[in-house]
């Protein structure tokens, strides 16, 4: 009797989540839930100004307060060579400021005390004298000839430029533009945003003088990278460092970098020889930790009159804040921006990118995104809509005409990526059908007669998820592979550990499903553990939707290694040669006689009790997986909106999402990821951004200013799917966690712009706040959202 | 100097002004000497070691800290512990007995109403207050009731479904009938 894969929780089963059992009881174990004996509490004093020279720091009053154990300043850090630390992008970042503060919210001093209330009191008692300098809050200001030099700490830095980078074919692109019938141009700003998981960042450092071992419990999406970084920064032996990521209350890229608070808590624990806990408050999290986006685009498309795109030319200026600490593969300065237009068949393209320092928080992280792919696809789909409008073509038809065709794979994009599969036209058709495209266009026309503004926005894209391969992708030189270790016990139950780290994605549930698929061991018999560097195999962590493409593939591969050994055990048990044994799910049998067989569980028992001569005991293995390519999920998102002509307020009428992420391991979890992503897309289009005034004050540094949609505003979502298995992934899966965040924003913005057709507006920068929409409509003008924010 | 943050003792420590309070927490009477400025959320988490109540913000916006005070949802990060003196507090740990689940908990699991789980306790308690008041809410009622609780992972759709699922189940139980 062949096992029913769905019954054992294998691939395609919407198995309910294992981790939920503790979360719904309030028994999760987040970092702030951990209490160690003798633990002290750390708070950070942050700069109130964006740019200033530090004249003096006086900590006397703080030291004198009862319950204060330690006050750390930049000077004390410098004495231990810890005032600066390397970033993930080969720059340096201040741990505690010594010379200058370079953004509002920068870490200036720390207090460690018996409880956080005392630590907070003591922070107030530190006196700092600042000499305030002019603040820079945009690339335009940073590049102005008279701009003050932000990074005067760096010997060879003469200006505020971090990099000038280019990719593509300039000559070919220029030639194509010379031949174009129409050139379509658009400029826009993708505003600064923050991943803002509900749980902030934090750590508990616990240095044990007796064993010389340092244990750090922390909110990290990539604990092994942190272990390596701590070994390098603090010059501690790597085997004496244990990083534990317990349950994480959401990450979205925010919990990838190394933050000064982690480093300071480690030093404090070493100095005091007691555990030191640091839990950030929300304001600190929003003002100082890894932001996303903040990129300006100048985009141009060369078009033929019949709608064919001949070439694309793009220039981006990106604002990285005071330190270049983007968490991204080292080869690419502006992440994977050049994955833009990957779903379109474009003969030639050229991208130039300039990155600058400003007096804003550092940390361009891949916010629910694969390294700037979110900007890449937003720019692409806004440019596509503008081009269709310029040609007077239907926006769906324009896309269809330029898609890479289903039989054109593998396809080399104009910027050099290799896409391996796709059914873009079908995906679009499913979306159009679901939304009722033709009917909506009629309805829109009718509504216009009654003075109502309806709009429909489409966004189609394919994006590269799941870095590496390791030839091209590394972080600080560490190759981007991943790992899985599987130990099958003698009763056929198993424990699986990977180098990834779940933060809500449900690895404890889905990894078991892959094992069930590969070995026929029921998913419920597989315990999944992640996040402890003492026990998990080395891996690069979870971000950029890389878990399923890389670690998930490693799970398949390690299970296949186990199966290969089990086959030898089966041959031994069945007294046959290996070649005469056949595999069916969960069982080996004799070729030609399916009735004579042994289950995987019987093989497991034999591995510990009945071995053939010469075979190693045990049924355990580890696999390191280096993917041959990225995975290329694709999607079509369509939104319909109604804009109120009297106020500029817009309401979402419907949202249709069609996603192709290949084989779905757990459809329920996949859909959960898509809906979460759509909500962030809606948030960015509608309300969520961080900006700065002329003095460099952060606007959006708390939840009263940084608006996140609630259940009330968030629209309902209609989900559809197309399935094109990934040709190189062992089970045909692709990344999915970020697609909707990447592709979604353009659907909303395109819909509002569609509603405003005829108002002479080409672009409104996100978020499309009612006042911006109103201004665009009534003054018939584009509206920029670039800082500085001026109060009118 | 005793830290009143983690070591909540029935006796005052002497060198910090404290007030003695008594709270019924999940049906159990607990007394503590607390600094007047101690937040209820911290008393619950650190003092009573009930860490299912989370804190996610400093502006009363996220709702991760939601508990029920005499059956009404309150944000425990914005209440002083002393204000809860003499009141009944319910946290996620008090939703059901150790070996059983409340239908709201079952609903969240069954409808995939959580991902990272950080907002979940607050969401469930807000949902409980809603269903206690309005056993048969519409989707709109649920969305409105949950508007003080932020979730960054799920997009809310499945949370709404989970609450409606729980409502159905509770009404089924109240009717004494099996759910169809
Ligand atoms: S912690 Fe955010 S509302 Fe209480
Ligand atoms: S499940 Fe993560 S915040 Fe709601």
């Amino acid at each position: 009797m062949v096992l029913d894969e769905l019954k054992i929780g294998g691939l395609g089963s919407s198995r309910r989540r294992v981790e939920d059992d503790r979360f719904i009881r309030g028994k999760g174990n987040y970092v702030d839930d951990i209490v160690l004996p003798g633990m002290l509490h750390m708070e950070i004093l942050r700069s109130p100004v964006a740019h200033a020279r530090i004249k003096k720091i006086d900590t006397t009053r703080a030291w004198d307060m009862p319950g204060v154990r330690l006050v750390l300043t930049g000077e004390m850090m410098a004495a231990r060579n810890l005032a600066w630390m390397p970033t993930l992008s080969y720059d340096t970042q201040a741990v505690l400021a010594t010379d200058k503060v370079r953004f509002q919210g920068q870490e200036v001093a720390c207090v460690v005390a018996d409880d956080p209330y005392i630590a907070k009191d003591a922070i107030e008692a530190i006196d700092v004298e600042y000499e305030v300098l002019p603040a820079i809050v945009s690339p335009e200001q940073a590049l102005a000839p008279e701009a003050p030099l932000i990074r005067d700490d760096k010997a060879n830095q003469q200006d505020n430029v971090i990099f000038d980078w280019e990719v593509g074919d300039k000559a070919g692109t220029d030639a194509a533009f010379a031949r174009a019938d129409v050139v379509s141009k658009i400029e826009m700003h993708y505003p600064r945003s923050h991943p803002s998981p509900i749980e902030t960042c934090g750590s508990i450092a616990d240095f044990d003088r007796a064993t010389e071992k340092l244990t750090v419990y922390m909110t990290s999406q990539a604990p092994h990278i942190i272990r390596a970084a701590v070994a390098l920064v603090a010059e501690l032996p790597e085997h004496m460092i244990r990083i534990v990521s317990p349950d994480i209350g959401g990450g979205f890229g925010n919990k990838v970098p190394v933050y000064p608070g982690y480093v300071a808590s480690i030093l404090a624990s070493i100095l005091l020889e007691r555990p030191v806990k640091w839990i950030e408050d929300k304001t600190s999290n929003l003002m100082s930790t890894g932001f996303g986006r903040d990129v300006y685009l100048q985009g141009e498309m060369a078009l033929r009159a019949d709608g064919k795109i001949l070439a694309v030319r793009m220039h981006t200026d990106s604002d990285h804040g005071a330190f270049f600490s983007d968490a991204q593969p080292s080869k690419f300065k502006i992440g994977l921006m050049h994955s833009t237009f990957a779903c379109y068949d474009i003969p030639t393209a050229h991208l130039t990118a300039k990155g600058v320092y400003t007096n804003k928080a550092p940390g361009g992280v891949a916010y629910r995104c694969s390294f700037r792919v979110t900007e890449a696809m937003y720019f692409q789909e806004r440019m596509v809509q503008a081009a269709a409008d310029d040609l007077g073509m239907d926006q769906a038809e324009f896309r269809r005409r330029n898609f890479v065709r289903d039989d054109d794979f593998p396809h080399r994009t104009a910027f050099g990526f290799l896409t391996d599969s796709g059914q873009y036209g079908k995906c679009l058709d499913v979306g159009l059908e679901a939304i009722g495209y033709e009917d909506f266009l009629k309805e829109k026309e009718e509504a216009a007669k009654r003075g109502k503004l309806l709009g429909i926005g489409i966004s189609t894209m394919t994006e590269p998820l799941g870095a590496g391969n390791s030839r091209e992708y590394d972080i600080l030189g560490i190759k981007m592979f991943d790992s899985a270790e599987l130990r099958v016990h003698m009763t056929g139950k198993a424990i699986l550990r990977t180098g990834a780290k779940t933060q809500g994605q449900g690895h404890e549930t889905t990894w078991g499903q892959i094992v069930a698929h590969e070995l026929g061991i029921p998913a419920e018999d597989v315990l999944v553990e992640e996040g402890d560097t003492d026990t998990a195999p080395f891996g690069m962590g979870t971000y950029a939707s890389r878990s399923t493409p890389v670690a998930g593939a490693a799970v398949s591969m390690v299970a296949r290694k186990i199966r290969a050994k089990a086959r030898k055990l089966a041959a031994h048990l069945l007294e046959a040669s290996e070649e005469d044994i056949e595999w069916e799910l969960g069982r080996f049998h004799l070729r030609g006689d399916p009735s004579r067989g042994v289950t995987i569980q019987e093989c497991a028992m034999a591995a510990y009790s009945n071995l053939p001569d010469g075979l190693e005991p045990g049924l355990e293995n580890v696999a390191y997986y280096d993917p041959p390519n990225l995975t290329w999920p694709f999607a079509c998102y369509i939104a319909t909106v109604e804009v109120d002509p009297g106020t500029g307020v817009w309401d979402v009428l419907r949202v249709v999402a069609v996603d192709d992420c290949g084989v779905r391991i757990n459809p329920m979890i996949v859909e959960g990821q898509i809906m979460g992503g759509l909500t962030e897309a809606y948030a960015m289009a509608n309300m969520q951004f961080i900006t700065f005034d002329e003095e460099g004050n952060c606007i959006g540094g708390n939840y009263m200013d940084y608006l996140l949609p609630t259940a009330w505003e968030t629209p309902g979502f209609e989900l559809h799917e197309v399935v094109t298995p990934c040709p190189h992934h062992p089970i045909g899966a692709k990344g999915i966690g970020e697609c909707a965040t990447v592709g979604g924003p353009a659907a909303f913005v395109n819909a509002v712009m569609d509603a405003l057709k005829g108002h002479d507006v080409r672009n409104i920068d996100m978020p499309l706040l009612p006042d911006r929409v109103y201004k665009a409509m009534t003054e018939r003008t584009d509206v920029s959202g670039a800082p500085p924010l001026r109060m009118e | 100097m005793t830290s009143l943050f983690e070591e909540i003792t029935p006796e005052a420590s002497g060198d910090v002004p404290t007030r003695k309070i008594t709270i019924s927490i999940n049906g159990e009477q607990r007394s503590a000497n607390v600094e007047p400025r101690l937040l209820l959320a911290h008393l619950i988490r650190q003092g009573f070691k009930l860490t299912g109540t989370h804190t996610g913000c400093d502006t009363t916006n996220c709702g991760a800290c939601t508990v029920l005070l005499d059956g009404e949802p309150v944000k425990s990060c914005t209440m002083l512990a002393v204000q809860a003196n003499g009141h009944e507090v319910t946290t996620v740990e008090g939703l059901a007995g150790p070996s059983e689940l409340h239908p709201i908990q079952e609903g969240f699991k069954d409808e995939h109403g959580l991902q990272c789980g950080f907002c979940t306790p607050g969401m469930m308690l807000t949902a409980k207050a809603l269903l206690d008041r309005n056993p048969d809410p519409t989707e709109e009622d649920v969305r409105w009731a949950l508007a003080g609780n932020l979730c960054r992972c799920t997009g809310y759709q499945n949370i709404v479904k989970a609450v409606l699922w729980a409502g159905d189940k509770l009404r089924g139980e109240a009717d004494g009938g099996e759910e169809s």
Side-chain angles (χ1 to χ4, degrees):
Chain A
M1 189 62 231
V2 179
L3 270 182
D4 179 346
E5 183 167 343
L6 288 182
K7 288 220 174 93
I8 59 164
L11 284 194
S13 153
S14 283
R15 177 181 187 226
R16 296 304 186 258
R17 297 199 330 162
V18 176
E19 40 273 84
D20 288 0
D21 290 333
R22 60 178 187 277
F23 293 143
I24 55 178
R25 290 178 169 87
K27 298 288 185 202
N29 187 37
Y30 303 91
V31 76
D32 195 23
D33 299 343
I34 298 170
V35 175
L36 300 179
M39 190 172 77
L40 301 168
H41 299 265
M42 189 181 93
E43 286 288 334
I44 298 177
L45 174 70
R46 295 177 181 280
S47 169
V49 291
H51 197 190
R53 209 163 291 288
I54 298 177
K55 308 271 284 186
K56 202 169 114 201
I57 303 182
D58 184 352
T59 57
T60 335
R61 287 198 300 133
W63 273 111
D64 285 347
M65 294 175 72
V68 169
R69 304 291 174 140
L70 179 69
V71 184
L72 275 179
T73 60
E75 205 180 316
M76 293 164 72
M77 300 297 276
R80 290 164 181 85
N81 207 14
L82 282 175
W84 293 81
M85 62 179 182
T87 70
L88 296 178
S89 280
Y90 297 93
D91 193 6
T92 48
Q93 171 172 1
V95 177
L96 295 180
T98 47
D99 52 340
K100 284 205 303 190
V101 287
R102 293 177 171 82
F103 67 94
Q104 188 185 44
Q106 187 178 338
E107 298 78 2
V108 175
C110 296
V111 170
V112 181
D114 288 350
D115 80 34
Y117 288 68
I118 299 172
K120 276 202 160 73
D121 288 345
I123 284 295
E124 301 289 319
I126 299 175
D127 301 304
V128 188
E129 224 178 278
Y130 296 103
E131 177 194 324
V132 176
L133 302 168
I136 289 175
V137 297
S138 72
E140 196 189 335
Q141 293 177 343
L143 296 171
E146 71 282 7
L149 184 63
I150 297 172
R151 294 301 300 275
D152 50 355
D153 58 293
K154 297 177 74 169
N156 296 319
Q157 186 79 35
Q158 309 293 343
D159 53 24
N160 293 320
V161 175
I162 304 172
F163 60 79
D164 266 310
W165 194 73
E166 70 176 312
V167 59
D169 176 1
K170 179 170 183 337
T173 303
D174 289 348
F177 270 84
R179 288 200 307 275
D181 296 327
V182 177
V183 172
S184 172
K185 299 186 185 189
I186 193 165
E187 295 188 5
M188 68 191 85
H189 177 219
Y190 202 129
R192 184 172 272 238
S193 203
H194 194 283
S196 191
I198 305 293
E199 179 200 40
T200 61
C201 298
S203 55
I204 304 169
D206 183 13
F207 180 70
D208 185 336
R209 178 61 68 197
T211 60
E212 298 276 313
K213 184 140 188 173
L214 171 71
T215 304
V216 189
Y217 303 87
M218 63 188 288
T219 48
S220 175
Q221 299 176 224
H224 283 99
I225 302 184
I226 299 282
R227 185 180 68 188
V230 171
L232 298 173
V233 176
E235 291 178 6
L236 293 171
E238 196 174 352
H239 66 302
M240 298 306 272
I241 303 168
R242 176 182 172 216
I243 307 294
V244 183
S245 287
D247 288 328
I248 296 185
F252 317 114
N254 183 232
K255 292 168 181 170
V256 175
V258 181
Y259 293 122
Y262 299 148
V263 179
S265 68
I266 290 170
L267 179 64
S269 177
I270 292 173
L271 292 176
L272 295 166
E273 297 182 18
R274 283 175 65 174
V276 174
K277 181 189 264 189
W278 163 65
I279 302 293
E280 208 177 44
D281 59 25
K282 185 60 79 193
T283 302
S284 305
N285 180 254
L286 286 169
M287 284 179 64
S288 73
T289 64
F291 68 94
R293 332 295 185 227
D294 215 349
V295 182
Y296 299 74
L297 168 80
Q298 293 160 25
E300 292 177 272
M301 281 163 93
L303 303 162
R304 214 163 58 194
D306 65 355
K308 171 80 187 129
I309 304 172
L310 299 176
V312 171
R313 189 190 278 147
M314 292 165 77
H315 173 76
T316 61
D317 289 305
S318 45
D319 178 335
H320 299 265
F323 310 106
F324 183 33
S325 61
D326 289 26
Q328 65 187 7
S330 55
K331 242 176 116 170
F332 308 110
K333 291 296 166 218
I334 188 69
L336 305 186
M337 184 70 79
H338 56 307
S339 63
T340 187
F341 285 92
C343 71
Y344 299 109
D345 188 8
I346 312 260
T348 181
H350 187 234
L351 165 74
T352 52
K354 193 189 281 287
V356 301
Y357 290 119
T358 59
N359 292 117
K360 293 154 75 173
V365 295
Y367 163 23
R368 209 165 181 157
C369 152
S370 205
F371 318 117
R372 306 283 179 188
V373 165
T374 310
E375 292 95 309
M377 299 311 157
Y378 178 73
F379 293 157
Q380 164 197 309
E381 284 306 287
R382 294 286 299 118
M383 286 171 72
V384 162
Q385 193 195 32
D389 286 352
D390 287 345
L391 289 168
M393 265 181 86
D394 174 77
Q395 49 172 326
E397 180 54 30
F398 178 68
R399 286 179 169 85
R400 196 177 288 114
R401 246 179 235 193
N402 286 289
F403 278 148
V404 176
R405 271 173 236 297
D406 299 0
D407 52 9
D408 260 0
F409 293 101
H411 175 83
R412 183 69 67 179
T413 75
F415 285 119
F417 283 96
L418 193 70
T419 54
D420 49 32
S421 57
Q423 304 184 69
Y424 310 140
K426 179 174 173 191
C427 190
L428 174 63
D429 288 341
V430 171
L432 294 176
E433 167 80 26
I435 202 93
Y437 188 57
E438 298 300 331
D439 290 345
F440 185 83
L441 294 183
K442 281 192 208 112
E443 194 187 322
K444 180 184 158 180
E445 224 170 279
E446 283 303 309
K449 290 181 194 147
R450 300 191 308 275
K452 283 184 143 210
L453 296 175
L454 300 190
I456 183 161
I458 302 176
S459 174
T460 50
M461 57 105 210
T462 184
E463 58 155 333
L465 292 187
N469 59 78
S470 72
R471 292 182 312 283
E472 285 187 298
Y473 299 95
D474 68 84
I475 287 187
L476 286 182
I478 310 170
K479 304 284 191 188
M480 297 189 74
F481 57 85
D482 227 293
S483 59
E485 180 205 69
L486 183 59
R487 303 177 163 198
V488 183
H489 311 321
M490 67 180 80
T491 57
K493 316 285 178 190
I495 180 164
L496 176 85
R497 296 190 173 109
T498 84
K501 174 62 205 167
T502 192
Q503 316 124 40
Q505 295 90 339
H507 295 177
E508 290 167 54
T509 305
T510 48
W511 292 164
Q513 296 186 241
I514 297 178
V515 174
H517 170 72
E518 296 288 353
L519 290 176
I521 293 177
E524 64 187 34
D525 290 352
V526 183
L527 174 71
V528 176
E529 273 186 10
E530 290 178 341
D532 184 337
T533 57
D534 266 10
T535 55
F538 188 97
M540 293 296 274
T542 292
Y543 44 87
S545 285
R546 61 188 302 281
S547 291
T548 293
V550 195
V555 174
S556 266
M557 298 321 271
V558 74
R560 289 177 192 182
K561 286 186 179 184
I562 294 282
R563 194 164 77 203
K565 182 163 183 187
R567 177 183 290 273
K568 293 190 197 306
L569 293 157
H572 169 65
L573 293 174
L574 293 169
E575 297 176 340
S577 76
E578 257 189 80
E579 299 77 64
D580 293 332
I581 302 276
E582 280 189 2
W583 170 252
E584 65 189 78
L585 188 63
R587 186 171 179 269
F588 294 97
H589 65 248
L590 279 185
R591 175 163 321 181
D593 185 1
S595 70
R596 286 195 53 211
V598 287
T599 63
I600 187 77
Q601 288 82 2
E602 287 166 328
C603 295
M605 182 57 84
Y608 299 86
S609 62
N610 177 7
L611 288 148
D613 286 345
L615 191 67
E616 261 182 88
L619 196 55
E620 305 185 344
N621 219 321
V622 55
Y624 291 84
Y625 187 78
D626 184 2
N629 192 4
L630 298 147
T631 69
W632 292 89
F634 53 91
C636 166
Y637 304 109
I638 304 182
T640 54
V641 301
E642 176 169 357
V643 179
D644 181 345
T647 61
V649 170
W650 52 280
D651 285 322
V652 176
L653 304 173
R654 283 177 67 200
V655 181
V656 163
V658 189
D659 282 276
D660 186 327
C661 60
V663 171
R664 296 184 172 199
I665 301 167
N666 181 320
M668 174 189 83
I669 288 179
V670 168
E671 291 187 359
Q673 290 287 312
I674 295 168
M675 289 191 282
L678 286 168
T679 305
E680 294 195 40
Y682 169 70
M684 283 183 279
N686 194 298
M687 59 181 80
Q688 174 189 305
F689 74 124
I690 290 183
T691 190
F692 294 80
D693 69 11
E694 278 168 354
E695 290 169 0
N697 292 308
C698 174
I699 318 284
N702 60 60
Y703 275 173
M704 288 195 284
D705 296 333
Y706 190 62
L707 301 183
L708 306 182
T710 71
W712 184 247
E713 294 88 30
T714 304
F717 305 118
E718 304 167 37
L719 307 187
H720 300 265
E721 67 176 328
V722 171
V723 180
T724 315
C726 172
H728 62 75
H729 187 277
I731 54 169
K734 309 182 231 182
I736 185 61
E738 303 161 348
C739 296
T741 312
V742 170
F748 294 107
V749 175
N750 282 346
V752 174
M753 299 312 297
D754 182 56
L756 297 193
K757 234 187 216 172
H759 288 75
D760 297 331
V761 183
R762 205 165 174 76
N763 186 59
I764 306 173
D765 280 340
M766 290 194 290
L768 303 184
L769 303 168
D771 64 320
R772 292 187 188 179
V773 177
Y774 185 75
K775 180 174 168 148
M777 248 184 330
T778 49
E779 297 177 22
R780 298 186 162 260
T781 174
D782 284 11
V783 179
S784 156
L789 183 76
R790 292 188 181 86
M791 296 295 179
E792 280 164 17
Chain B
M1 170 88 201
T2 315
S3 167
L4 292 180
F5 186 64
E6 268 148 22
E7 301 304 323
I8 304 288
T9 52
E11 296 309 317
S13 69
D15 53 357
V16 179
T18 61
R19 244 188 84 184
K20 180 160 179 165
I21 59 171
T22 302
I23 294 176
S24 158
I25 182 138
N26 300 328
E28 195 189 325
Q29 292 285 120
R30 301 275 300 262
S31 294
N33 271 293
V34 299
E35 276 189 81
R37 66 173 176 172
L38 185 75
L39 296 176
L40 178 58
H42 291 153
L43 174 70
I44 293 169
R45 286 181 51 77
Q46 275 82 13
F48 295 154
K49 314 266 185 268
L50 296 170
T51 53
T53 302
H54 301 146
T55 55
C57 72
D58 35 38
T59 48
T60 320
N61 289 90
C62 78
C65 62
T66 304
V67 299
L68 300 182
L69 186 83
D70 303 329
E72 285 299 318
V74 297
K75 291 179 174 173
S76 64
C77 73
T78 318
M79 246 191 118
L80 299 170
V82 292
Q83 290 176 288
N85 187 23
H87 292 274
E88 272 178 30
V89 172
T90 308
T91 69
V92 61
E93 291 89 346
L95 267 179
S99 56
E100 51 200 43
L101 288 178
H102 188 279
I104 293 174
Q105 292 169 309
E106 286 180 85
F108 269 71
K109 178 168 179 179
D110 203 66
E111 294 289 351
H112 188 30
L114 62 150
Q115 290 181 24
C116 78
F118 203 75
C119 70
T120 312
M123 286 283 178
M124 293 194 301
L125 289 161
T126 305
K128 178 167 191 315
L130 167 71
L131 294 176
D132 285 347
R133 188 174 72 236
N134 176 3
D136 191 8
T138 62
E139 175 180 337
E140 199 159 270
D141 294 335
V142 176
R143 284 186 178 270
W144 184 245
L146 295 178
N149 294 70
L150 293 173
C151 175
R152 211 45 186 150
C153 300
T154 63
Y156 304 105
Q157 194 151 315
N158 285 348
I159 294 182
V160 174
K161 280 197 203 163
V163 177
L164 294 172
W165 187 103
D168 285 349
K169 171 134 192 202
L170 283 163
R171 287 195 312 284
E173 279 173 4
D175 297 345
E178 278 289 287
E179 253 195 294
S180 56

